[in-house]
Amino acid sequence: MVEDRIIATYLIETAFPLEYAAEVMAGEQSTGTFVSVPGETPELKEKHAARVIEVKELEAVSQPSLPHAKIPKGVHTPVYTRGIVKLSFPLQNIGLSLPNLMTMVAGNLYELNEFSGLRLLDIDLPDSFARKYPGPQFGIEGTRKLAGVYDRPMIGTIVKPSIGLKTDEYGPLVRALAEAGIDFIKDDELCADPPCAPFEQRVKVVMEEINRAADKTGKKVMYAFNITGDIDELKRKHDIVYEAGGTCIMVSINSVGLNAVEYLRRYSQLPIHGHRNQWGALSRYPMLGFGFAAYQKLCRLAGVDHLHTNGLNSKFAESNDSVVQSIKDCLTPLFGGYTVMPVLSSAQWAASAIPTYEAVRSVDVIHLAGGGILAHPDGPNAGVLSMIKGWEAAVKGIPLEQYAKRHPELARAIQKFAN
Amino acid sequence: MVEDRIIATYLIETAFPLEYAAEVMAGEQSTGTFVSVPGETPELKEKHAARVIEVKELEAVSQPSLPHAKIPKGVHTPVYTRGIVKLSFPLQNIGLSLPNLMTMVAGNLYELNEFSGLRLLDIDLPDSFARKYPGPQFGIEGTRKLAGVYDRPMIGTIVKPSIGLKTDEYGPLVRALAEAGIDFIKDDELCADPPCAPFEQRVKVVMEEINRAADKTGKKVMYAFNITGDIDELKRKHDIVYEAGGTCIMVSINSVGLNAVEYLRRYSQLPIHGHRNQWGALSRYPMLGFGFAAYQKLCRLAGVDHLHTNGLNSKFAESNDSVVQSIKDCLTPLFGGYTVMPVLSSAQWAASAIPTYEAVRSVDVIHLAGGGILAHPDGPNAGVLSMIKGWEAAVKGIPLEQYAKRHPELARAIQKFAN
């Protein structure tokens, strides 16, 4: 990585020659303009222009993936070529600035009518970004230390129903989960500070139960309290959690914005659990928006310690290949460290461990299950244990059914949840 | 508007019956879960469930607009029906919270695999939101007062080249524009605080010229300084502009996030010029993301005073109908006021006024032109005047060519720019 350049990788689709389209991108996002301007001197271009460093042709299609794309003059039956483009930007155009990085590598590109498809796949940043943005404060190691869980995934669940539980209903629920030996509980993203369970009261009730269980067992369940709110609320709610002995705060990254996450990171004394709701709006159409490789780096710069990735065979509209790649992206060190813990969820149960481990070869995940724990025929205790045993089988390479012979909680889970 | 409900309107596409799909949305974003949970009591549902209040069937298509959409069991040749769905959410699920509003009305919806298309078109909010979020502080009236421009659009331009000018090159440029009688100048979104023209120095040089011109002519050009940066920078740079006598600050809304804009709004003593770069990522695919009607309300809640909309016949990939609707959306009062000034740009010149005024019947816009002003054959002075005369012709309903007979700067603009 050249120390003073930023490399951005795009998937594009265009009716124009790929090389030309790539130059349009580079111009638009640096020194170029629609009309020629006298000030765009050779010296200025040399210092500030973005450079096209790679253009790789992919397949061609006959229908444009996005509307309102222009076709070259004189062309009557356009062909839309897809390709991978890498641009190199001078760091000095933005300095070490996360928001200005976004404007430079994404910005107005999506609206250029030379393109019938444009997606930012990845960004490569000089190490100096890590000096400006300290990134995940706890990461994988710090999270494990706070939760006291090593050498296996952290097993967790989400409080349900998503919204509407009253404050006094949290006590029994959290007690039951803590007694079941769960490692991690999180608020739903839909529950932040509703009048039926005001934030401060909820923290009090939840932490009473967690601290009581910790006194008994020595294990303090990590609870990710959803502090999503306006800027001032973030600090205030962080303090409420911290003072009550809580060990994790959660924010909806796209609802508060990366600036707010980064601001919280500098203040926080707790790991930040990053919920990526609205990610689908940014990513689900393959020829637009952001790839997760780019997105997770932006989130790490902002300082999240945990980041949602979906789980394998989930009920969300994402392929397993994409989920696996997202988990691997999170587990790939950035700036030589800067670790973030992937959070797997949706339709997960004990058997989900096997394909997950086969694909990612790591136990550094937070694995969330709802029904897979709570609906276990022998109760949540057996539910949690079945998840742990599922991962043991996965790591040891023992087929689930075989491992289940010696682990009844696994056998009962298979009986209940396997189709 | 019922005082305690929030209404969200969506465009959807699904292989399932529309009514069923709408119920899935309502469930997912309120009390429902993938697995049934004992706590989801009738009382809780009555208080907290989102309700489907309208389902309107549109056309059907044979190919799904988004990948990984599920089809109903037993169906072999699915038909994907499009429809408009209105959901009503209880305000009490989130309270008066902009970020939690986004999680509720958008959230995980985009990832649900029952949908092959999902776009949030609009949001109707109870007036209580305006009590929590004061919204645009200056709006149209306050901006006009600061700029001293009434009864016609504010005519402006963007400093070009986008990036790379040195501090000492700003002086002559701004002087020429101020002498040309321009109302408004803005930094490019790509230029925030580069080493070649550090923010503080740039403000100094620019405001010296603007203040000098104001002393001479009594007219202070409004310059939107791009303060996009981390949270602490926003305040610091606001102060630099304010103390130098500047009258506008600009932020890249999607780069800093709505929380940061809202935070800035509470602090700011200046109008906030909202640049929407990356908007294309959220909107360009018609079956995903956000409609501008929804987006501009979120931006107004956060408190922007100006908001970019593109201009008619621009070089961006947006239809004129969409641009016109966006301008009208901005000009529609919210909570009985809460005004925001639309900013029109890209390939604009004197003649752009006619179709714009015909479509929107308002002069409450900031109209930005680059070449249309700077490349005028008789210089920027004539360029600015040609824009003003174009709007006069539009408002008076006089054909441009006819009006040009008495206004040479208009005639020369037509000669140069008309194709």
Side-chain angles (χ1 to χ4, degrees):
Chain A
M1 184 77 228
V2 181
E3 192 47 39
D4 60 353
R5 308 290 297 184
I6 292 162
I7 313 294
T9 307
Y10 305 87
L11 170 65
I12 67 166
E13 183 189 288
T14 179
F16 291 81
L18 284 178
E19 299 280 352
Y20 169 80
E23 290 296 343
V24 168
M25 296 170 71
E28 172 69 18
Q29 291 307 101
S30 64
T31 61
T33 51
F34 287 131
V35 290
S36 65
V37 170
E40 197 183 347
T41 61
E43 187 214 351
L44 182 144
K45 285 189 79 160
E46 172 60 29
K47 273 195 179 170
H48 298 282
R51 296 178 200 143
V52 178
I53 58 169
E54 194 182 312
V55 176
K56 198 175 105 188
E57 189 169 331
L58 301 174
E59 74 278 13
V61 294
S62 58
Q63 292 298 318
S65 297
L66 294 172
H68 308 301
K70 201 165 64 170
I71 57 176
K73 272 185 190 160
V75 170
H76 298 292
T77 44
V79 171
Y80 299 89
T81 312
R82 294 179 180 166
I84 301 292
V85 167
K86 278 186 197 281
L87 300 183
S88 163
F89 294 92
L91 172 60
Q92 65 172 330
N93 283 11
I94 54 164
L96 298 168
S97 170
L98 173 53
N100 288 304
L101 171 69
M102 291 176 67
T103 297
M104 185 174 73
V105 298
N108 278 342
L109 282 175
Y110 303 103
E111 295 199 59
L112 296 183
N113 63 10
E114 283 87 356
F115 298 86
S116 56
L118 195 146
R119 186 175 176 95
L120 175 64
L121 297 179
D122 203 354
I123 318 167
D124 289 299
L125 298 165
D127 288 350
S128 47
F129 264 90
R131 293 196 290 273
K132 169 77 183 291
Y133 294 103
Q137 185 177 188
F138 292 84
I140 293 167
E141 199 184 346
T143 295
R144 287 193 173 287
K145 202 169 161 192
L146 275 175
V149 178
Y150 300 95
D151 305 321
R152 64 167 177 82
M154 285 173 57
I155 306 300
T157 195
I158 308 170
V159 173
K160 297 283 174 183
S162 309
I163 184 74
L165 287 182
K166 291 174 192 152
T167 310
D168 61 12
E169 294 175 290
Y170 277 80
L173 187 67
V174 171
R175 190 181 317 149
L177 288 165
E179 286 173 358
I182 207 155
D183 304 316
F184 183 92
I185 308 173
K186 68 177 276 291
D187 281 331
D188 193 271
E189 78 274 10
L190 295 171
C191 184
D193 197 0
C196 59
F199 186 79
E200 190 155 7
Q201 289 177 32
R202 199 165 83 240
V203 173
K204 188 169 175 288
V205 167
V206 167
M207 288 313 301
E208 268 171 21
E209 292 298 340
I210 285 177
N211 288 330
R212 185 176 305 146
D215 286 344
K216 221 187 290 180
T217 65
K219 175 190 171 83
K220 186 182 249 189
V221 179
M222 179 175 277
Y223 190 108
F225 289 98
N226 182 4
I227 69 168
T228 302
D230 295 331
I231 292 276
D232 292 335
E233 270 178 275
L234 296 178
K235 280 192 174 178
R236 189 170 59 77
K237 289 182 175 171
H238 164 277
D239 290 348
I240 291 171
V241 174
Y242 184 74
E243 280 156 24
T247 54
C248 191
I249 50 177
M250 159 179 159
V251 283
S252 290
I253 301 165
N254 302 312
S255 295
V256 300
L258 288 179
N259 259 26
V261 176
E262 199 275 330
Y263 180 72
L264 178 62
R265 157 65 179 91
R266 293 196 186 267
Y267 183 77
S268 184
Q269 304 191 56
L270 300 170
I272 299 171
H273 186 84
H275 197 285
R276 66 171 186 177
N277 68 77
Q278 299 160 71
W279 165 241
L282 295 170
S283 67
R284 193 169 160 200
Y285 191 58
M287 292 307 300
L288 185 66
F290 292 80
F292 188 76
Y295 178 75
Q296 54 92 25
K297 286 184 185 172
L298 296 169
C299 293
R300 282 154 93 161
L301 278 177
V304 302
D305 297 283
H306 312 155
L307 184 57
H308 281 243
T309 59
N310 288 337
L312 269 78
N313 306 311
S314 86
K315 305 224 174 176
F316 285 118
E318 185 178 4
S319 71
N320 278 351
D321 284 351
S322 169
V323 172
V324 166
Q325 189 55 51
S326 297
I327 299 169
K328 286 181 177 173
D329 286 342
C330 287
L331 293 173
T332 303
L334 184 60
F335 308 127
Y338 229 75
T339 66
V340 66
M341 203 150 186
V343 183
L344 285 54
S345 66
S346 175
Q348 302 295 293
W349 64 287
S352 310
I354 306 262
T356 307
Y357 186 76
E358 275 177 3
V360 305
R361 294 279 153 192
S362 173
V363 295
D364 284 334
V365 304
I366 298 177
H367 200 187
L368 304 180
I373 290 172
L374 298 169
H376 191 285
D378 299 327
N381 201 317
V384 171
L385 207 55
S386 73
M387 298 280 292
I388 294 173
K389 293 297 164 190
W391 278 94
E392 278 181 15
V395 172
K396 291 178 180 170
I398 301 172
L400 202 67
E401 282 70 18
Q402 188 182 324
Y403 208 62
K405 284 178 190 160
R406 288 191 294 128
H407 299 286
E409 57 285 338
L410 199 50
R412 295 272 281 167
I414 294 170
Q415 205 177 0
K416 167 95 180 186
F417 300 118
N419 291 326
Chain B
M1 188 72 228
V2 181
E3 193 45 41
D4 59 355
R5 308 289 296 184
I6 291 162
I7 314 294
T9 306
Y10 305 88
L11 170 64
I12 66 166
E13 182 188 289
T14 178
F16 291 82
L18 284 177
E19 298 280 353
Y20 169 80
E23 290 296 343
V24 168
M25 295 169 72
E28 173 68 18
Q29 291 306 99
S30 63
T31 61
T33 50
F34 288 131
V35 291
S36 64
V37 170
E40 197 184 350
T41 62
E43 188 214 350
L44 182 146
K45 284 191 78 159
E46 172 62 29
K47 275 194 177 170
H48 297 282
R51 295 178 200 142
V52 178
I53 59 169
E54 196 182 311
V55 176
K56 199 174 103 187
E57 190 169 331
L58 301 173
E59 74 278 12
V61 293
S62 58
Q63 292 299 319
S65 296
L66 294 173
H68 308 301
K70 200 165 64 171
I71 57 176
K73 272 186 190 157
V75 170
H76 297 292
T77 44
V79 171
Y80 299 89
T81 313
R82 293 179 179 166
I84 301 291
V85 168
K86 277 185 198 282
L87 301 184
S88 163
F89 294 91
L91 173 59
Q92 65 173 328
N93 283 14
I94 52 165
L96 298 168
S97 171
L98 172 53
N100 288 302
L101 170 68
M102 291 177 69
T103 298
M104 186 174 71
V105 299
N108 278 342
L109 281 174
Y110 303 102
E111 293 199 61
L112 297 182
N113 63 10
E114 283 87 355
F115 298 87
S116 56
L118 195 147
R119 184 175 176 95
L120 175 65
L121 297 179
D122 204 354
I123 318 167
D124 289 300
L125 298 166
D127 289 349
S128 48
F129 264 90
R131 293 196 292 273
K132 169 77 183 291
Y133 294 101
Q137 185 177 187
F138 292 84
I140 294 168
E141 199 184 345
T143 295
R144 287 194 174 287
K145 204 172 161 189
L146 275 175
V149 179
Y150 300 94
D151 305 321
R152 64 167 177 80
M154 285 172 58
I155 306 300
T157 197
I158 308 170
V159 173
K160 297 282 174 185
S162 309
I163 183 76
L165 288 182
K166 291 175 192 151
T167 309
D168 60 12
E169 294 176 289
Y170 278 82
L173 189 67
V174 170
R175 190 181 316 148
L177 288 165
E179 286 173 357
I182 207 157
D183 303 317
F184 182 92
I185 308 173
K186 67 178 276 293
D187 280 331
D188 195 90
E189 78 273 10
L190 294 172
C191 182
D193 197 359
C196 57
F199 187 80
E200 190 155 10
Q201 289 178 31
R202 198 164 84 239
V203 172
K204 188 168 175 289
V205 167
V206 167
M207 288 314 301
E208 267 171 19
E209 292 298 340
I210 285 177
N211 289 330
R212 185 177 303 149
D215 287 345
K216 222 186 289 182
T217 65
K219 176 189 169 84
K220 185 182 248 188
V221 179
M222 180 175 275
Y223 190 109
F225 289 99
N226 182 5
I227 69 168
T228 302
D230 295 332
I231 292 276
D232 293 335
E233 269 179 276
L234 296 178
K235 280 192 174 178
R236 187 169 61 76
K237 290 183 174 169
H238 164 278
D239 290 349
I240 291 171
V241 175
Y242 185 74
E243 281 155 23
T247 55
C248 191
I249 49 178
M250 161 180 158
V251 282
S252 291
I253 301 166
N254 302 313
S255 295
V256 299
L258 289 177
N259 259 26
V261 177
E262 200 274 330
Y263 180 74
L264 177 63
R265 157 65 181 89
R266 294 195 186 267
Y267 182 78
S268 185
Q269 304 190 58
L270 300 171
I272 299 171
H273 186 85
H275 198 285
R276 66 172 186 176
N277 66 75
Q278 297 159 73
W279 165 241
L282 295 169
S283 68
R284 191 167 162 202
Y285 191 59
M287 294 306 300
L288 186 66
F290 293 80
F292 188 75
Y295 178 75
Q296 54 93 22
K297 286 184 184 172
L298 297 169
C299 293
R300 281 154 93 164
L301 279 176
V304 301
D305 296 283
H306 313 156
L307 184 57
H308 281 242
T309 60
N310 287 339
L312 270 77
N313 306 312
S314 86
K315 303 223 175 176
F316 284 120
E318 186 179 4
S319 72
N320 279 351
D321 285 352
S322 170
V323 172
V324 166
Q325 188 55 51
S326 297
I327 299 169
K328 286 182 176 173
D329 286 342
C330 287
L331 293 173
T332 303
L334 185 59
F335 309 127
Y338 228 74
T339 66
V340 69
M341 205 150 185
V343 182
L344 285 53
S345 67
S346 175
Q348 302 295 292
W349 64 286
S352 311
I354 307 262
T356 306
Y357 186 76
E358 274 176 4
V360 305
R361 293 282 153 190
S362 174
V363 296
D364 285 334
V365 305
I366 297 175
H367 200 186
L368 304 182
I373 291 174
L374 298 170
H376 191 286
D378 299 327
N381 201 319
V384 171
L385 205 56
S386 72
M387 297 282 290
I388 293 174
K389 294 298 163 188
W391 277 94
E392 278 180 14
V395 171
K396 291 177 178 171
I398 300 172
L400 201 68
E401 281 71 17
Q402 188 182 324
Y403 207 63
K405 285 178 191 161
R406 288 192 294 128
H407 299 285
E409 58 285 340
L410 200 49
R412 295 272 281 168
I414 293 170
Q415 207 178 356
K416 166 96 181 186
F417 300 119
N419 291 326

